[in-house]
């Protein structure tokens, strides 16, 4: 049976600046932490960097026409901080801003709503050299940057997002070190988490001050869908600990104005949280117009039963003070990222936040899958696994809406195959295939399928 989505439901796709733009040294742009990290030997697959990526900086107009041809109603993109404010402070770099002015104008000319994310992980290297997100001053620099961009684009962009997945910035960047800047320090990770929270609050204030009254302010989180391996009390407690570190470290202050007491107790061996100043929670809990939810796969945890074998070092964990937690492989089909395919996790997340913050609209700002997509002999790219993935997850969104979740839209990750962070160019999430040697774009079967869903607002039988 064909299922209809609500009228006005927003159908879009998404990218991030460092993953697609290229042009790292043009028009005044300076290095970000991802430029530095990807050029450090051993940090990315095959030594891949975002120097060229998908050359979106030069192919912007063609990519917008591609979106228009697909019938997409919105495009979620991020602004490169070092492109518009090369040192992370001071005046705006007008040539850098001009790129985003042109992008927004192109989108509007084609009837596509621009959805702007201010920060998708590309901190100016100069700010990292001064201490990065573990330093309080970085949050204030972010607020200044937010104001600059809002002044330049606020007359044409209505939907604004402060941060994308601050969990990754804090805990993969400063805890496990698998993302830029590649530091492995539990205290730095927790300090970074707080200062990202503070940056969100200060940035939201800056946006409100600069935007017209109809401007909408949001944040995008990647809340954990954390499940206990068994219903044994110790496994349930492991689930609680990881939920605090994966989700409530951000939703506590952002949505409720306080860090969870169990999080503070669990991490007392690392910090006394004295870096949280009086008044910070009130700043962080800034009224939102919507909440962005990114979802890919669930996490299964249990209480650890043994230590690492003698002489075997454990990899640095992104979860501070959680050494007593073991992570289990979830069941089910898997993507090329070795992530389990489980659309029930997306349903559960949407219902969780519909109940936790009733009245706050939700947007699925990222959802998608990587598969080993290759052109066939005729140059076509068929990806039935991705179509199956998208159908199942869109059905989960539909069921959540039917059960009371106020979901405004869905953004497929990603428009294009691109630089997939530490995985380099080895993983393809795009609905559009990119030949990295020639930059030729080819619509995959999933792009045509998603185009039909976006045009009709209907989820066909599968």
């Amino acid at each position: 049976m064909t299922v209809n989505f609500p009228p006005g439901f927003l159908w879009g796709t998404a990218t991030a600046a460092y993953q697609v733009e290229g042009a790292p040294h043009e028009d005044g742009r300076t290095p970000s932490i991802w430029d530095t990290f990807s050029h450090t030997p051993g940090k990315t697959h095959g030594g891949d960097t975002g120097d060229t990526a998908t050359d979106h900086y030069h192919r912007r107009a063609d990519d917008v026409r591609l979106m228009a041809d697909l019938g997409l109603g919105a495009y979620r993109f991020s602004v490169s901080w070092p492109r518009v404010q090369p040192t992370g402070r001071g005046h705006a770099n007008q040539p850098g801003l001009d790129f985003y002015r042109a992008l927004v104008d192109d989108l509007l000319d084609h009837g596509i709503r621009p959805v702007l994310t201010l920060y998708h992980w590309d901190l100016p290297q100069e700010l990292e050299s001064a201490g990065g997100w573990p330093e309080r001053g970085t949050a204030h620099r972010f607020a200044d940057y937010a104001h600059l961009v809002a002044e330049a684009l606020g007359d044409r962009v209505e939907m604004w997002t402060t941060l994308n997945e601050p969990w990754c910035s804090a805990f993969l960047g400063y805890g496990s070190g698998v993302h830029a800047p590649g530091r492995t320090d539990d205290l730095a990770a927790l300090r970074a988490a707080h200062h990202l929270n503070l940056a969100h609050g200060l940035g939201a204030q800056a946006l409100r001050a600069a935007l017209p009254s109809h401007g909408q302010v949001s944040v995008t989180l990647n809340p954990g869908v954390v499940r206990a391996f068994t219903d044994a009390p110790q496994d349930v407690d492991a689930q609680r600990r990881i939920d605090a570190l994966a989700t409530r470290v951000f939703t506590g202050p952002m949505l409720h104005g306080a860090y969870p007491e169990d999080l503070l107790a669990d991490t007392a061996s690392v910090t006394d949280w004295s870096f949280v100043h009086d008044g910070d929670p009130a700043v962080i809990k800034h009224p939102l117009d919507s909440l962005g939810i990114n979802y890919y796969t669930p996490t299964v945890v249990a209480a650890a039963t043994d230590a690492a074998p003698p002489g075997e070092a454990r990899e640095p964990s992104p979860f501070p003070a959680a050494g007593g937690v073991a992570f289990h492989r979830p069941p089910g089909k898997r993507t090329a990222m070795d992530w389990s395919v489980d659309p029930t996790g997306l349903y559960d997340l949407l219902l969780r936040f519909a109940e936790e913050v009733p009245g706050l609209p939700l947007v699925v700002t990222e959802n998608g899958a990587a598969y080993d997509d290759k052109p066939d002999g005729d140059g076509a790219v068929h990806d039935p696994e991705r179509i199956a993935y998208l159908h199942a997850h869109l059905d989960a969104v539909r069921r959540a809406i039917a059960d009371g979740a106020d979901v405004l839209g869905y953004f497929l990750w990603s428009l294009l195959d691109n630089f997939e962070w530490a995985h380099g160019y080895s993983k393809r999430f795009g609905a559009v295939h990119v030949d990295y040697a020639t930059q030729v774009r080819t619509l995959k079967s999933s792009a045509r399928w998603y185009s039909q869903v976006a045009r009709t607002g209907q989820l066909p039988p599968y």
Side-chain angles (χ1 to χ4, degrees):
M1 181 179 68
T2 299
V3 178
N4 293 329
F5 278 76
F9 191 83
L10 197 58
W11 297 98
T13 188
T15 64
Y18 189 72
Q19 292 183 272
V20 299
E21 285 181 2
H25 309 298
E26 291 190 37
D27 297 327
R29 185 188 181 277
T30 58
S32 73
I33 55 175
W34 269 98
D35 293 277
T36 302
F37 186 81
S38 65
H39 280 269
T40 302
K43 296 299 186 182
T44 65
H45 175 86
D48 291 343
T49 75
D51 285 0
T52 302
T54 63
D55 198 30
H56 180 66
Y57 194 75
H58 300 114
R59 299 169 187 266
R60 176 204 79 241
D62 290 340
D63 288 341
V64 172
R65 281 192 291 271
L66 188 155
M67 286 183 262
D69 290 344
L70 290 172
L72 300 179
Y75 176 48
R76 177 175 174 257
F77 64 95
S78 76
V79 172
S80 168
W81 188 347
R83 196 178 293 287
V84 304
Q85 199 184 35
T87 65
R89 63 186 78 231
H91 296 294
N93 173 40
Q94 292 303 323
L97 274 177
D98 286 344
F99 169 76
Y100 298 104
R101 291 188 179 103
L103 172 60
V104 168
D105 288 346
D106 283 350
L107 292 168
L108 294 174
D109 287 346
H110 286 85
I112 301 171
R113 181 181 298 188
V115 179
L116 188 154
T117 298
L118 285 165
Y119 187 72
H120 199 133
W121 309 351
D122 49 359
L123 185 71
Q125 179 59 45
E126 189 163 320
L127 291 184
E128 172 60 26
S129 297
W133 285 113
E135 293 301 315
R136 186 178 183 88
T138 306
H140 291 277
R141 301 291 75 74
F142 176 79
D144 294 342
Y145 157 67
H147 194 271
L148 285 177
V149 181
E151 283 191 319
L153 299 174
D155 60 332
R156 285 161 290 174
V157 177
E158 183 177 350
M159 299 179 69
W160 293 73
T161 303
T162 53
L163 309 174
N164 178 81
E165 297 185 353
W167 184 86
C168 295
S169 298
F171 295 107
L172 299 184
Y174 295 91
S176 67
V178 298
H179 277 194
R183 291 161 62 179
T184 54
D185 181 332
D186 282 356
L187 175 57
L190 292 170
R191 288 177 61 93
H194 175 63
H195 295 139
L196 283 154
N197 280 328
L198 184 61
H200 159 71
L202 293 170
Q205 289 180 349
L207 290 176
R208 298 287 188 199
L211 293 177
S213 59
H214 62 270
Q216 299 176 20
V217 176
S218 181
V219 66
T220 284
L221 305 178
N222 57 325
V225 177
V226 186
R227 293 167 174 163
F229 187 58
T230 74
D231 59 3
Q234 60 269 30
D235 289 356
V236 173
D237 189 62
Q239 184 274 337
R240 176 201 61 76
R241 292 178 70 94
I242 299 304
D243 182 68
L245 288 163
T247 301
R248 292 183 286 119
V249 64
F250 298 106
T251 60
M254 287 184 183
L255 303 180
H256 307 294
Y259 285 99
E261 290 295 330
D262 64 324
L263 169 71
L264 304 184
D266 289 344
T267 56
S269 63
V270 178
T271 179
D272 60 4
W273 291 79
S274 58
F275 46 78
V276 180
H277 294 190
D278 289 344
D280 283 0
V283 172
I284 296 167
K285 188 179 179 292
H286 188 93
L288 298 173
D289 296 297
S290 64
L291 175 65
I293 301 292
N294 292 357
Y295 171 77
Y296 293 95
T297 192
T299 299
V300 177
V301 299
T305 56
D306 54 18
E312 180 182 316
R314 290 198 187 276
E315 299 254 340
S317 170
F319 296 104
V325 175
F327 291 81
H328 288 257
R329 182 180 173 89
K333 295 180 179 179
R334 315 194 79 76
T335 71
M337 295 289 290
D338 198 32
W339 294 346
S340 69
V341 177
D342 188 346
T344 66
L346 180 54
Y347 173 87
D348 291 347
L349 272 184
L350 294 173
L351 265 292
R352 171 179 177 169
F353 287 104
E355 295 170 0
E356 184 173 333
V357 279
L360 180 63
L362 308 174
V363 180
V364 180
T365 37
E366 285 184 29
N367 176 239
Y371 290 102
D372 188 19
D373 307 314
K374 294 184 176 72
D376 64 17
D378 296 323
V381 183
H382 299 291
D383 56 342
E385 302 95 342
R386 184 173 289 103
I387 293 174
Y389 180 101
L390 295 176
H391 190 282
H393 286 77
L394 284 172
D395 188 58
V397 175
R398 175 202 62 79
R399 291 190 297 109
I401 293 172
D403 290 343
D406 182 10
V407 185
L408 301 181
Y410 176 95
F411 288 79
L412 166 65
W413 185 271
S414 174
L415 173 65
L416 304 166
D417 291 336
N418 55 44
F419 176 80
E420 186 49 42
W421 306 114
H423 295 281
Y425 297 101
S426 67
K427 307 298 181 186
R428 293 181 177 270
F429 276 88
V432 178
H433 181 274
V434 178
D435 182 321
Y436 296 120
T438 65
Q439 294 297 335
V440 169
R441 276 84 159 127
T442 302
L443 297 182
K444 302 177 187 178
S445 300
S446 61
R448 301 182 191 280
W449 181 89
Y450 185 62
S451 172
Q452 186 64 20
V453 174
R455 290 180 189 278
T456 64
Q458 297 178 338
L459 186 62
Y462 187 80

